[in-house]
Amino acid sequence: MASALSTGAVAFREARTGVLQQSQDSVIRQFRTSVDAAAVGTPPAPSQTHLQKAVNQVLQANQSQGWRVLATYGSLRAYAPSADFGKLSPELRRSVDTKRAAVFQRVNEDGRPYLVVGMPVTYSSGEGTESRLSGMVMYLVVPQNTEQAYVEAMVSAIEHATLVALFLAVVLALLAASGVLRPVRALRGATRRMAEGHLDVRLAVNGSDELADLSRSFNHTAAALEESVSELRRLEAQARRFVADVSHELRTPLAAMSAVTDVLDEKALRLDEETGQALQLISEGTSRLSLLVNDLMEISRFDAGAAELSLDEVDLADFVQHTLAARGWQGQVETDLPGPGALRTRVDPRRLDVVMANLVGNALRHGAPPVRLTMGVREERADVAWAVIEVTDSGPGIAEEAVPHIFERFYKASTTRTRSESSGLGLAITAENVHLHGGRIDAANLPGGGAAFTVELPLHRDIAPADHDSTPGAR
């Protein structure tokens, strides 16, 4: 585009200069010939009559040119066909008075171009001697309408040619750019599809340039990534299936072992001390193993996508009170709950019971009293609200390096907890249950010491408050 514009500009300038130069040279040559012919019959000190005769002779020789001629000698002036010589500038007059050659100037008046020529008449006294000025000056004013028409025609032609060249330049630029942008856009689309999980995406490779090499490299990378991810998924599926199968197979013998230990526990008081202690260890181990198997079964259901919600409309405050009462924790936990019926929503009671039991149980086991449970509402928008349940304790809190991993499976925040009854899956199952409800869970340390676990559950606004039974167990 720059080349087309610059070429058009240079072509116009050169063509305009050539047309005007040719016209100017032709007019000056004709004017000089006519003045030379008229000067032959003009005396060195011409009168008014001689000046007018010279003017008429010049005009007669160039009748079809539209010339206007003026002759001056001292204070004498002769002109034809009119006295309109206002285009003679003072600069031109001074230049004619000081030079022996023709002087010209192009002027514009009312948008029309004119060529003004001033030519002093000189005489030579003999061969080899320098010519001298006679004092007589001939002026010519000639319109350049024809030349202006030529220039305008050239401008129009160059504009059309430039527009065509610009159009071709744009087309070529678009073709060249599309040749580069098309594979780049295809690469961008392929990377987006790969980020979305479509690892089988591949690019069409055309040509042998750098972009084709890039496409081939992308295809090789995508193929290697797909193979690696497929292998990882296969191994992960095998691991999940192994855990689920082992957990399932362990449930039956564990049930039998639990039944046996329950029977033996009843007779423990009648056994000797060593046998009683051994029986107690077996009973505790069986209980821990049974709890671990149950947790593994629950985790395997989450991994397999088989975990489902059995929703029921509950009063959250009343539900939490029943959870604490069922485990005998009412006297150990301070509560700050809304009134009956203030917070109602649809949840899975069994899964929410697991969430509250795990959080309060962790606070009682690993924190320090007082343990507090508070509940409130957080308005996000007019149509979106969250029930916020917070469990806090006054213990040492969570190690800062453990906070990001607290909900990971089998993660235990301290060495003392590795010897506890916890399997390391409780908080992971808690987080999975919260997420299954569309909620959020967070763990942090309180400024004054202690840990805080916050659960946010969405409140469904379509549930209208109703008359609720205030008796225990109504939910």
Side-chain angles (χ1 to χ4, degrees), residues 100-172:
R100 300 176 183 274
V103 178
F104 67 91
Q105 185 179 27
R106 285 191 293 268
V107 298
N108 280 283
E109 187 176 86
D110 299 330
R112 300 179 63 185
Y114 293 88
L115 177 65
V116 181
V117 182
M119 185 174 294
V121 178
T122 59
Y123 292 98
S124 178
S125 57
E127 186 177 356
T129 61
E130 184 180 357
S131 61
R132 59 184 178 83
L133 294 172
S134 65
M136 177 180 172
V137 179
M138 300 287 287
Y139 293 97
L140 169 66
V141 177
V142 57
Q144 291 191 302
N145 296 330
T146 303
E147 290 76 7
Q148 180 68 17
Y150 287 157
V151 171
E152 291 177 354
M154 282 191 301
V155 169
S156 178
I158 292 174
E159 283 180 350
H160 286 84
T162 303
L163 288 176
V164 172
L166 282 174
F167 175 76
L168 293 176
V170 170
V171 170
L172 291 174

Side-chain angles (χ1 to χ4, degrees), residues 379-395:
E379 298 282 349
E380 187 169 299
R381 296 197 306 270
D383 58 337
V384 178
W386 299 82
V388 181
I389 305 172
E390 187 175 49
V391 178
T392 61
D393 63 69
S394 302

Side-chain angles (χ1 to χ4, degrees), residues 199-267:
L199 300 181
D200 58 342
V201 64
R202 298 293 185 272
L203 293 175
V205 181
N206 298 314
S208 58
D209 55 5
E210 290 81 359
L211 291 174
D213 291 340
L214 179 61
S215 299
R216 277 189 286 269
S217 299
F218 175 85
N219 290 340
H220 293 157
T221 303
L225 181 61
E226 182 181 19
E227 182 178 355
S228 299
V229 171
S230 298
E231 180 65 17
L232 289 175
R233 288 174 177 172
R234 186 184 65 81
L235 294 175
E236 183 181 10
Q238 285 183 351
R240 290 176 178 175
R241 188 166 55 252
F242 173 77
V243 171
D245 292 343
V246 169
S247 301
H248 181 75
E249 294 298 328
L250 286 175
R251 295 187 72 180
T252 301
L254 277 174
M257 292 173 62
S258 297
V260 172
T261 54
D262 289 342
V263 173
L264 293 176
D265 284 341
E266 295 177 357
K267 301 180 181 180

Side-chain angles (χ1 to χ4, degrees), residues 18 42 65-67 74 112 180 208 215 220 229 231 234 258 263 297 312 328 346 353 358 374 401 404 415 428:
T42 303
Q65 304 295 324
W67 287 10
R112 300 179 63 185
V180 175
S208 58
S215 299
H220 293 157
V229 171
E231 180 65 17
R234 186 184 65 81
S258 297
V263 173
M297 290 291 294
D312 191 12
R346 294 177 61 81
D353 181 77
N358 279 338
T374 61
E401 65 274 10
T415 56

Side-chain angles (χ1 to χ4, degrees), residues 169-183:
V170 170
V171 170
L172 291 174
L174 291 176
L175 290 175
S178 64
V180 175
L181 295 179
R182 190 182 300 111

Side-chain angles (χ1 to χ4, degrees), residues 299-370:
I299 285 291
S300 64
R301 281 191 287 270
F302 284 119
D303 290 340
E308 296 180 352
L309 292 176
S310 179
L311 296 177
D312 191 12
E313 181 182 343
V314 300
D315 181 343
L316 292 180
D318 187 51
F319 181 86
V320 169
Q321 291 281 20
H322 281 280
T323 297
L324 298 178
R327 291 163 177 79
W329 291 341
Q330 282 184 314
Q332 305 177 51
V333 179
E334 298 178 3
T335 59
D336 182 9
L337 305 176
L343 280 179
R344 294 186 65 85
T345 188
R346 294 177 61 81
V347 296
D348 186 328
R350 183 184 69 83
R351 295 187 182 278
L352 183 59
D353 181 77
V354 171
V355 171
M356 300 312 304
N358 279 338
L359 294 182
V360 176
N362 275 346
L364 292 173
R365 285 193 301 271
H366 307 295

Side-chain angles (χ1 to χ4, degrees), residues 295 298-299 302 351-362 365 391 406-407 409 424-437 439-442 453-455 457:
D295 288 344
E298 186 72 5
I299 285 291
F302 284 119
R351 295 187 182 278
L352 183 59
D353 181 77
V354 171
V355 171
M356 300 312 304
N358 279 338
L359 294 182
V360 176
N362 275 346
R365 285 193 301 271
V391 178
I406 198 68
F407 296 108
R409 300 173 184 181
L425 293 174
L427 289 178
I429 293 175
T430 298
E432 293 286 355
N433 281 318
V434 171
H435 296 155
L436 198 61
H437 281 84
R440 299 185 287 250
I441 187 169
D442 182 57
F453 288 84
T454 304
V455 174
L457 297 175

